Amino acid sequence: SNLGNTCFMASMLQSLAAVAPLREYFTSGAYERELNAENRDGTQGQLARSYAVRLCRRSRRAAGGPGGPHARPAVLTSAPAAR
């Protein structure tokens, strides 16, 4: 079932993954230094972590390695609008 904007969100995530510096930021783990896990109004870093996992799995699949289970459900459940 479509949660409203999932097609839009999927296209945006794919577009962001195509930006090499941003992709490297997440796949290298550099984003972890900037997470605000104490923000009670946010996702406590869960959305960023889910996106990083998705990018890493995507990179492994592109390199011919195992991709593991698809991370999309974790990303969707982390978004405030999906709650």
Side-chain angles (χ1 to χ4, degrees):
S1 74
N2 191 335
L3 297 176
N5 292 318
T6 55
C7 291
F8 173 74
M9 185 170 70
S11 68
M12 290 305 299
L13 293 174
Q14 289 175 6
S15 296
L16 292 173
V19 178
L22 187 59
R23 185 176 58 243
E24 176 62 24
Y25 176 71
F26 279 97
T27 58
S28 71
Y31 73 95
E32 288 277 351
R33 293 188 306 266
E34 299 184 46
L35 291 180
N36 183 358
E38 286 79 40
N39 181 353
R40 69 172 205 260
D41 295 327
T43 63
Q44 292 76 42
Q46 185 179 4
L47 183 59
R49 286 186 191 102
S50 294
Y51 186 61
V53 166
R54 178 164 169 65
L55 285 177
C56 288
R57 288 179 180 163
R58 182 177 181 259
S59 294
R60 283 196 302 264
R61 278 195 303 269
H70 198 272
R72 185 171 177 220
V75 172
L76 289 178
T77 58
S78 296
R83 291 185 193 154

